[in-house]
Amino acid sequence: MQLLDGKKVSEAILAGIAETVSQRKQEGKKTPHLAAILVGGDPASQTYVASKVKTCEQIGFGSTLLRLGEETSEPELLAHIAAFNADPEIDGILVQLPLPRHIAEEKVINAISPEKDVDGFHPISLGRMVLGLPTFISATPNGIMMMLEHYNIDTTGKHCVVIGRSNIVGTPMSVLLSRNSNPGNCTVTLCHSKTRDLKALCLQADIIVAAIGRPNYVTADMVKEGAIVIDVGINRIEDSSKKSGFRLVGDVDFDQVAEKCSYITPVPGGVGKMTICALMNNTLLAVKDK
Ligand code: NDP
């Protein structure tokens, strides 16, 4: 079994981006700038946004973090997005999900200018991705593709089972892996909570991508010998031995599954790191040189 080391791969890619940024600065070109909006105090969201902002600092990007209270109204949030859309200093905008219940996620996603939609969630970005046109590809599936490419994993002709059909992970992942490209050219089965006999489908899979949001859901008896297992899940489970009172686990029962597969991503240190890396790459691509 080989570990797909998101930390190592993302550090290498981020070093390349930092080099490009430093070069741009020497040439007097614009510094890439990411604006993040966090609404409310969800602890996991706070951690994600903080690590995105920290990565911006590490690689020389500018960043703006707008923290808004839980009670922020939808029009207020939309007004902030409109201001960021109009600000030429800002190249990429992300609104950390999930949002408080009184705010319609769809409206917020649609309000971000597609030219600054570095999360790749806007219908225009998703539509262009499906058509294979240049666009911002949502960071998690994009990061997974970067990881497969980095490890030179041949996906052609393989059967990939993607578990989870969310707009931000499972669905774009299934499209990217079925594209006529490398990585890609997989035969993809997209599974969800209504799928019958998930285990039988998983046992046929050369590649499993688990994006479910249920701790340790994919067990060793669901995985074929030699399969490649990509664990997207980030789940907090109670752990009194930790200072925080919790630890992070994926959707895959790592210890048992690792013994059977050829490659596996750890949690943490796998897909999460690649997601941030892909987001930074999108932000660099978003910069418009005058
Ligand atoms: P969603 O809750 O939006 O989607 C979960 C999907 O899993 C749904 O399609 C659901 O099916 C499916 N599902 C739920 N239960 C089952 C089941 N028993 N069998 C088969 N399918 C099931 O989650 P996200 O896609 O946003 O996230 C998934 C996980 O990935 C979470 O743990 C999240 O924290 C993590 N994540 C990690 C990221 C990273 O950077 N590593 C980035 C984004 C997410 P249905 O559609 O029928 O309800």
Side-chain angles (χ1 to χ4, degrees), residues 140 163-166 168-169 192-194 198 211-214 217 232-235 251 271-272 275:
T140 300
I163 319 173
R165 57 178 161 186
S166 72
I168 63 171
V169 188
H192 43 76
S193 67
K194 310 290 186 297
L198 182 66
I212 316 163
R214 290 179 176 234
Y217 192 77
V232 183
I234 301 180
N235 307 291
D251 289 345
V271 173
T275 296

Side-chain angles (χ1 to χ4, degrees), residues 89-109:
E89 185 51 34
I90 290 172
D91 303 296
I93 302 170
L94 76 86
V95 178
Q96 187 65 43
L97 303 178
L99 291 165
R101 280 170 186 273
H102 64 275
I103 300 178
E105 218 164 84
E106 195 188 337
K107 261 195 199 169
V108 170
I109 289 171

Side-chain angles (χ1 to χ4, degrees), residues 8-24:
K8 213 165 93 186
V9 179
S10 68
E11 276 169 7
I13 296 173
L14 289 171
I17 298 177
E19 179 62 38
T20 306
V21 174
S22 142
Q23 187 90 34
R24 289 182 63 84

Side-chain angles (χ1 to χ4, degrees), residues 172-187:
M173 190 76 255
S174 69
V175 172
L176 292 174
L177 283 169
S178 58
R179 264 185 184 179
N180 184 0
S181 64
N182 187 30
N185 278 319
C186 289
T187 304

